[in-house]
């Protein structure tokens, strides 16, 4: 009978139908059937709870490791042989669900006022007369995990309701929480207590009307000292890594529940002008968490704490974006971030990163194994790898930003970046299809390319570090010598934090596609706009460095530097080196040059003379690189404007690219007019009317050779591939933004950004004249 009445009440509440009967009637329906012993022990040691098979058991705060817990099959058979209308468990679950739904309805402005008032009357009767809060607390210790979970949710809803409607904290719940947390590790209801508190905080944060500051302070102030003591106890005084080797143990459940609470406390600190100690303790005593991460606890718990640290270092960035600088409004955050940064950098310099064995198997949807043929990037857990990297970079950023002199931070910066580079190399293996990483600045894009928001946070951190160092250097000396500038440039590249290098490596990864940059600018999920504005300002005053880095990129992708250093045979204007002569020349190079040749991926160089030494139009490339990489061929084709449909057909061929050239005399033979020179790997049979460049032949572990037609060293025009692509990408981005702005489709005013992009376009004209 009771179950049918509850079902009807549930339907009425869902639809919003007013409850017609008096409040006491509904209170009796919602009152939990839990009988307390005459002694009324506050610890609920003698509460009689309905077991999952419909019987009654005595709930005791004792070790239940030897208890026989019914299996799923036993429970299913019991339910199958029992009328559901008489199952105490089903009745209790419906009661708990109704309480939670009614609290939500009572807070909704869409429900009529009289109906909401009725719900409030029922809650007052449940709390004052039925002592529903005491019964829910006792139900937290149920052996049935679903009952325990629902009891926690319902209890949190009622405590939240009292805070909001009565501006009062539930004394019964507060007493239980204080006793449970202060009694750790002796108390066995720690996880359930933490669940309830976490849910209350989240409910307060989700409320759009409630004055959060006052309610949060009323909730957390009485628990402040106990929560800090619990933090010290569970993470330090009573921490034993052997108790956390299984994620299913009670100890692991307590620790995982505490991570959820710490995350809620972190999210709530923005609401208070002066955060409480329980909201700051994670920052001030981060060493406990760092030691835990490097211990032998289960990997799942390590991962949760690492992700929590990532949220800590990103806390300031994301809240600044919402409401301005937090340091000005909340000085305690400055102290907290300083303590966290110092703690992280201290252990990083002690090889802490190498003590964290990342899981070799990430989690995959539908199973624990990667799909056959899938690229797992060296099998390390990529989200954790990115999170740890971001924690170190953001800690370095804060430390550098708050350093007064270069000497104060330079040593720690170099040491931390060296440890980070070692960490990246050990966990991110190159796949057989990819080229080996040969430059430290490339690691950043490789690590973060799959996670946009993290990637731009990392890039912004590195850029801010660079700008701070640059400012400190110029403040210390007005005029820096050329040697000092070279030393500085070497340091930035060796440490993997040269902003021009990082930006160009990223553009390479996205094939210089301006539409990708436009997506980042429009998205509100990344800090790309902030990063791009800072970088373009740097680019405006550091243009020569950008050009130098672009030239190094062109050298990296070709053998131009090695070939041009060879003394050509004496010719009046042009010469053609044979395969044999180039092979001999390559053998004469220094070991360092040979290594650079070996790592150039068989790139080929073809140069042509231009009339009056002018730079050709974009459809006449001065020097083109052909590789066995289809992607690079495709990007090179974009530099050529085909004038006929016949030429356009070649664009679809991933193995060929077409370039118009001038006359090229070949040695002592008669002049041969080459109107179209085709670089082809597929057809190397004909060599009469076409000048073909063949792939490099392997001459050993570190040498290569090629057939190349080239000019004398006096008439060589430098490669401009990278700077052309990068500036062209920014120019296309500028046009796309302007087009959207004219149509009022851009989400914000991009005037300042367009001005910076326009300045870059003007500077690029001097390098890429049209």
């Amino acid at each position: 009978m009771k179950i049918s009445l509850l079902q009807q009440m549930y339907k009425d509440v869902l639809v919003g139908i007013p409850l017609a009967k008096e409040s006491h009637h509904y209170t009796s329906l919602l009152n939990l059937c839990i009988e307390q012993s005459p002694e009324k022990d506050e610890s609920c040691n003698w509460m009689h709870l309905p077991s999952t098979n419909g019987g009654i058991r005595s709930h005791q705060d004792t070790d239940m490791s030897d208890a026989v817990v019914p299996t799923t099959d036993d429970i299913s058979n019991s339910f199958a042989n029992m009328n559901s209308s008489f199952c105490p468990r089903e009745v209790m679950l419906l009661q708990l669900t109704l309480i939670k739904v009614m609290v939500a309805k009572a807070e909704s402005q869409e429900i009529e006022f009289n109906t909401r008032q009725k719900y409030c009357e029922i809650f007052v009767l449940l709390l004052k007369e039925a002592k529903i809060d005491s019964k829910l607390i006792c139900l937290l210790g149920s052996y049935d995990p679903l009952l325990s979970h629902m009891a926690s949710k319902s209890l949190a809803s009622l405590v939240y309701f009292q805070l909001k409607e009565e501006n009062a904290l539930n004394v019964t719940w507060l007493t239980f929480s204080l006793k449970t947390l202060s009694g750790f590790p002796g108390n066995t209801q720690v996880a359930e207590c933490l669940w309830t508190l976490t849910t209350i905080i989240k409910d307060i944060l989700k409320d759009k009307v409630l004055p959060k500051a006052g309610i949060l302070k009323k909730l957390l102030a009485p628990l402040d000292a106990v929560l800090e003591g619990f933090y010290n106890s569970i993470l330090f005084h009573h921490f034993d890594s052997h108790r956390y080797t299984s994620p299913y143990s009670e100890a692991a459940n307590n620790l995982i529940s505490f991570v959820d609470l710490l995350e809620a406390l972190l999210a709530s600190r923005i609401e208070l002008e002066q955060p409480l100690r329980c909201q700051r303790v994670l920052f001030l005593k981060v060493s406990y968490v760092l030691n835990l991460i490097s211990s032998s606890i289960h990997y799942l718990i390590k991962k949760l704490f690492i992700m929590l640290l990532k949220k800590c270092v990103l806390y300031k960035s994301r809240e600044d974006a919402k409401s301005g600088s937090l340091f000005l409004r909340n000085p305690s955050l400055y102290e907290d971030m300083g303590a966290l940064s110092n703690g992280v950098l201290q252990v990083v310099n002690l090889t802490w990163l190498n003590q964290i064995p990342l899981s070799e198997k990430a989690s995959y949807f539908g199973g624990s194994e990667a799909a056959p043929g899938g690229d797992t990037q060296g099998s390390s857990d990529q989200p954790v790898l990115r999170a740890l990297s971001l924690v170190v970079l953001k800690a370095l950023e804060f430390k550098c930003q708050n350093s007064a002199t270069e000497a104060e931070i330079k040593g720690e910066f170099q040491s931390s970046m060296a440890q980070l580079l070692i960490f990246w190399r050990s966990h991110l293996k190159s796949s057989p299809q990819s080229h080996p990483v040969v430059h430290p600045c490339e690691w950043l894009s490789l690590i973060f390319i799959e996670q946009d928001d993290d990637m731009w946070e990392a890039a912004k951190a590195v850029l801010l570090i660079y700008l701070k160092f640059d400012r400190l250097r110029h403040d210390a000396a007005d005029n820096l010598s050329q040697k000092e500038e070279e030393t500085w440039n070497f340091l930035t590249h060796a440490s993997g934090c040269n902003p021009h290098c990082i930006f160009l490596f990223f553009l390479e990864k996205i094939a210089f596609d301006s539409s990708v940059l436009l997506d980042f600018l429009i998205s509100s999920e990344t800090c790309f706009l902030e990063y791009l504005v800072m970088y373009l300002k740097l680019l405006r005053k550091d243009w020569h460095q950008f050009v130098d880095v672009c030239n190094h990129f062109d050298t990296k992708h070709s053998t131009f530097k090695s070939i041009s250093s060879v003394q050509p045979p004496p010719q009046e204007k042009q010469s053609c080196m044979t395969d044999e002569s180039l092979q001999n020349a390559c053998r004469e190079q220094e070991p360092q040059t040979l290594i650079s040749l070996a790592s150039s991926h068989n790139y080929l160089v073809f140069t042509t003379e231009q009339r009056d030494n002018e730079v050709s139009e974009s459809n006449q490339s001065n020097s083109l690189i052909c590789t066995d990489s289809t992607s690079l061929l495709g990007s090179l084709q974009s530099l050529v404007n085909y004038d006929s449909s016949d030429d356009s057909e070649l664009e679809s061929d991933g193995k060929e690219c077409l370039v118009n050239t001038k006359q090229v005399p070949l040695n002592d033979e008669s002049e041969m007019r080459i109107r179209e020179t085709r670089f082809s790997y597929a057809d190397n049979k004909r060599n009469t009317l076409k000048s073909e460049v063949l792939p490099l032949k392997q001459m050993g572990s570190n040498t290569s050779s090629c057939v190349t037609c080239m000019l004398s060293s006096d008439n060589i025009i430098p490669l401009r591939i990278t700077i052309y692509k990068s500036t062209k990408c920014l120019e296309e981005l500028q046009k796309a933004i302007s087009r959207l702005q004219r149509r009022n489709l851009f989400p914000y005013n991009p005037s300042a950004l367009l001005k910076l992009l326009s300045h870059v376009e003007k500077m690029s004209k001097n390098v890429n004249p049209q």
Side-chain angles (χ1 to χ4, degrees):
M1 182 66 179
K2 188 173 184 178
I3 188 72
S4 60
L5 293 175
L6 282 169
Q7 288 173 340
Q8 184 59 47
M9 182 182 177
Y10 182 71
K11 293 177 183 178
D12 293 342
V13 170
L14 282 182
V15 178
I17 298 175
L19 300 179
K21 297 183 180 181
E22 62 179 15
S23 298
H24 281 88
H25 170 74
Y26 298 106
T27 302
S28 64
L29 288 178
L30 294 174
N31 192 15
L32 299 175
C33 296
I34 299 177
E35 297 179 1
Q36 190 175 6
S37 66
E39 292 83 359
K40 295 185 179 180
D41 192 314
E42 291 183 0
S43 64
C44 301
N45 284 349
W46 294 100
M47 276 290 184
H48 296 288
L49 304 177
S51 63
T52 53
N53 61 1
I56 302 295
R57 68 174 173 85
S58 177
H59 172 69
Q60 304 248 4
D61 280 341
T62 57
D63 186 6
M64 301 304 296
S65 59
D66 297 330
V68 179
V69 180
T71 64
T72 304
D73 292 337
D74 295 335
I75 297 173
S76 301
N77 294 334
S78 176
F79 287 161
N81 298 325
M82 182 184 298
N83 190 330
S84 61
S85 59
F86 295 102
C87 176
R89 179 178 185 272
E90 294 298 319
V91 173
M92 191 167 291
L93 287 173
L94 184 54
Q95 288 173 319
L96 296 173
T97 304
L98 250 174
I99 292 172
K100 192 173 186 326
V101 172
M102 287 177 66
V103 172
K105 293 289 185 179
E107 303 300 327
S108 174
Q109 298 300 318
E110 298 177 359
I111 305 299
E112 292 183 3
F113 177 77
N114 292 335
T115 303
R116 287 188 279 126
Q117 283 292 101
K118 185 80 171 185
Y119 294 162
C120 291
E121 292 175 8
I122 295 172
F123 294 144
V124 171
L125 291 173
L126 282 172
L127 290 166
K128 303 298 183 183
E129 297 183 6
K131 305 294 182 183
I132 191 72
D133 45 6
S134 297
K135 296 179 180 181
L136 288 172
I137 289 172
C138 292
L139 196 56
L140 292 177
S142 172
Y143 298 152
D144 188 326
L146 183 56
L147 277 176
S148 179
H149 174 75
M150 289 302 300
S152 173
K153 293 285 188 181
S154 300
L155 179 60
S157 297
L158 289 174
V159 174
Y160 165 67
F161 170 80
Q162 284 186 285
L163 275 170
K164 183 174 182 180
E165 297 298 328
E166 303 176 7
N167 194 26
L169 188 59
N170 187 290
V171 177
T172 305
W173 171 80
L174 178 62
T175 304
F176 161 73
S177 300
L178 291 173
K179 184 175 182 179
T180 302
L181 297 178
S182 60
F184 178 84
N187 204 300
T188 59
Q189 294 186 354
V190 172
E192 293 81 6
C193 175
L194 297 174
W195 296 344
T196 307
L197 178 55
T198 303
T199 304
I200 296 170
I201 296 174
K202 290 182 178 179
D203 287 343
I204 293 173
L205 294 177
K206 287 188 294 186
D207 197 310
K208 298 180 180 179
V209 182
L210 191 69
K212 299 181 180 63
I215 296 296
L216 281 170
K217 194 168 184 179
K218 184 177 287 293
L219 172 69
L220 296 176
L223 295 166
D224 193 27
V226 172
L227 284 173
E228 183 179 3
F230 180 77
Y231 181 95
N232 297 334
S233 181
I234 194 171
L235 297 183
F236 183 67
H237 297 304
H238 297 283
F239 177 75
D240 182 2
S241 59
H242 300 293
R243 300 174 60 204
Y244 303 100
T245 54
S246 170
Y248 306 107
S249 65
E250 180 183 351
N253 190 26
N254 293 340
L255 200 52
I256 292 172
S257 302
F258 189 49
V259 173
D260 293 337
L261 176 60
L262 289 173
E263 185 177 340
L265 290 171
L266 175 66
S268 67
R269 68 173 287 164
I270 185 63
E271 304 296 340
L272 301 180
E273 293 184 5
Q274 293 296 328
L276 300 171
R277 287 285 299 183
C278 63
Q279 296 171 310
R280 303 179 58 191
V281 66
L282 177 59
F283 293 83
L284 300 177
K285 299 181 180 180
V286 70
S287 59
Y288 296 173
V289 174
L290 298 174
N291 291 335
L292 179 146
I293 291 173
S294 60
S295 68
S296 59
I297 63 172
H298 192 272
Y299 182 73
L300 172 64
I301 304 175
K302 289 187 181 184
K303 185 171 183 176
L304 291 174
F305 273 102
I306 291 170
M307 293 302 178
L308 180 62
L309 285 181
K310 174 187 167 184
K311 291 180 180 180
C312 288
V313 298
L314 293 180
Y315 173 78
K316 177 186 176 300
S317 299
R318 291 174 179 171
E319 295 303 331
D320 276 358
K322 293 180 183 178
S323 54
S325 177
L326 281 178
F327 286 163
L328 297 178
R329 298 187 298 108
N330 196 342
S332 63
L333 182 60
Y334 181 89
E335 179 185 350
D336 295 350
M337 289 298 298
L340 186 144
S341 299
N342 289 333
V344 169
L345 295 180
Q346 183 179 1
V347 296
V348 167
N349 292 330
L350 296 175
T351 68
W352 173 76
L353 288 172
N354 297 330
Q355 300 173 29
I356 306 174
L358 298 188
S359 175
E360 295 186 357
K361 291 183 180 178
S363 298
Y364 298 92
F365 183 75
S368 59
E369 299 292 339
D375 183 12
T376 60
Q377 284 191 293
S379 75
S380 289
D381 191 339
Q382 296 301 301
V384 175
L385 179 63
R386 287 191 293 267
L388 281 170
S389 304
L390 198 55
V391 167
V392 176
L393 289 173
K394 296 297 286 186
L396 266 177
E397 175 202 337
F398 184 86
K399 191 69 179 289
C400 290
Q401 290 288 74
N402 295 279
S403 298
T405 62
E406 182 184 2
E408 185 179 339
I409 186 60
K410 186 175 181 180
E412 192 164 28
F413 164 74
Q414 289 179 283
S415 174
S416 298
M417 287 305 300
Q419 291 294 331
L420 195 56
L421 289 171
I422 294 172
F423 179 66
W424 286 343
R425 290 190 187 100
S426 63
H427 288 289
L428 190 63
K429 312 297 182 186
S430 300
S431 63
Q433 296 83 10
S434 65
H435 69 279
V437 180
V438 295
H439 197 290
C441 294
E442 188 174 3
W443 283 108
L444 196 72
S445 57
L446 288 174
I447 295 292
F448 292 99
I449 193 67
E450 293 183 2
Q451 190 69 31
D452 302 338
D453 51 348
D454 288 353
M455 176 175 63
W456 295 119
E457 284 288 354
K460 186 182 76 172
V462 172
L463 178 57
L464 287 170
I465 292 171
Y466 177 91
L467 293 174
K468 179 65 175 183
F469 265 108
D470 194 49
R471 185 160 56 251
L472 291 176
R473 289 171 56 253
H474 286 89
D475 290 345
D478 294 334
N479 296 318
L480 297 172
S481 64
Q482 182 178 357
K483 183 178 180 180
E484 289 175 325
E485 289 290 352
E486 291 175 354
T487 303
W488 164 242
N489 288 332
F490 173 80
L491 172 64
T492 61
H493 286 289
S495 301
C497 66
N498 184 279
H500 305 301
C501 232
I502 290 172
F503 186 66
L504 289 174
F505 273 122
F506 168 73
L507 291 183
E508 272 195 343
K509 298 293 185 294
I510 63 170
F512 297 88
D513 188 351
S514 62
S515 63
V516 177
L517 302 183
L518 183 63
D519 288 341
F520 288 142
L521 283 175
I522 294 175
S523 172
S524 60
E525 298 178 357
T526 72
C527 63
F528 179 66
L529 172 62
E530 185 181 358
Y531 165 81
L532 185 61
V533 169
M534 286 193 298
Y535 178 70
L536 292 177
K537 289 180 179 178
L538 171 67
L539 193 59
R540 183 172 56 186
K541 70 173 186 178
D542 207 18
W543 177 255
H544 65 286
Q545 289 290 345
F546 175 74
V547 174
D548 289 344
V549 173
C550 287
N551 292 337
H552 283 299
F553 266 69
D554 293 327
T555 303
K556 180 195 73 168
H557 287 313
S558 68
T559 58
F560 180 81
K561 182 177 181 180
S562 300
I563 295 174
S564 62
S565 63
V566 179
Q567 181 67 29
Q571 292 291 333
E572 194 169 286
K573 282 193 176 182
Q574 292 92 2
S575 65
C576 181
M577 295 185 67
T578 65
D579 182 43
E580 182 179 359
S581 62
L582 178 61
Q583 197 170 15
N584 293 333
C586 289
R587 286 198 183 100
E588 295 172 4
Q589 302 303 307
E590 296 176 0
Q592 184 177 358
T593 304
L594 296 179
I595 293 175
S596 66
L597 279 170
S599 64
S600 62
H601 299 282
N602 297 343
Y603 294 145
L604 305 158
V605 180
F606 185 82
T607 59
T608 61
E609 180 185 4
Q610 300 297 329
R611 181 175 300 174
D612 301 327
N613 291 329
E614 293 178 352
V615 180
S616 68
E617 297 291 328
S618 61
N619 65 333
Q620 292 181 332
S621 178
N622 295 322
S623 47
L624 291 178
I625 305 167
C626 283
T627 77
D628 54 357
S629 170
T630 305
S631 61
L632 185 56
L633 284 171
S635 62
L636 285 173
Q637 290 169 19
S638 65
L639 301 179
V640 183
N641 295 326
Y642 297 108
D643 297 327
S644 67
S645 59
D646 293 334
D647 294 339
S648 298
E649 291 176 0
L650 295 173
E651 188 175 3
S652 63
D653 187 354
K655 299 293 185 180
E656 300 179 351
C657 58
L658 186 65
V659 183
N660 297 326
T661 65
K662 298 283 185 178
Q663 284 188 352
V664 180
L666 300 177
N667 288 338
D668 296 329
E669 300 178 3
S670 59
E671 290 186 352
M672 176 172 58
R673 185 176 299 272
I674 305 176
R675 297 203 177 270
E676 295 179 348
T677 302
R678 176 176 299 177
F679 298 169
S680 174
Y681 292 115
D683 182 11
N684 58 3
K685 296 180 181 179
R686 293 181 298 168
N687 196 21
T688 55
L689 297 179
K690 292 182 180 179
S691 172
E692 291 190 308
V693 181
L694 303 179
L696 294 172
K697 299 176 182 177
Q698 201 70 23
M699 297 185 340
S701 60
N702 291 330
T703 59
S704 302
S705 65
C706 64
V707 179
T708 306
C709 292
M710 61 177 292
L711 301 174
S712 64
S713 58
D714 295 336
N715 292 325
I716 289 177
I717 300 175
L719 290 168
R720 296 294 187 188
I721 300 295
T722 302
I723 197 167
Y724 179 88
K725 288 182 181 180
S726 56
T727 54
K728 186 70 175 176
C729 177
L730 293 176
E731 182 182 344
E732 291 172 354
L733 177 64
Q734 178 189 2
K735 292 178 180 178
I737 296 173
S738 300
R739 185 166 57 251
L740 290 173
Q741 185 189 29
R742 287 195 301 269
R743 299 176 182 176
N744 293 324
L745 296 176
F746 207 73
Y748 51 85
N749 185 2
S751 300
L753 178 61
L754 288 173
K755 186 177 180 180
L756 290 169
L757 289 169
S758 176
H759 191 80
V760 172
E761 181 185 11
K762 290 178 183 177
M763 291 187 295
S764 68
K765 298 296 183 183
N766 298 326
V767 181
N768 300 319
Q770 299 299 317

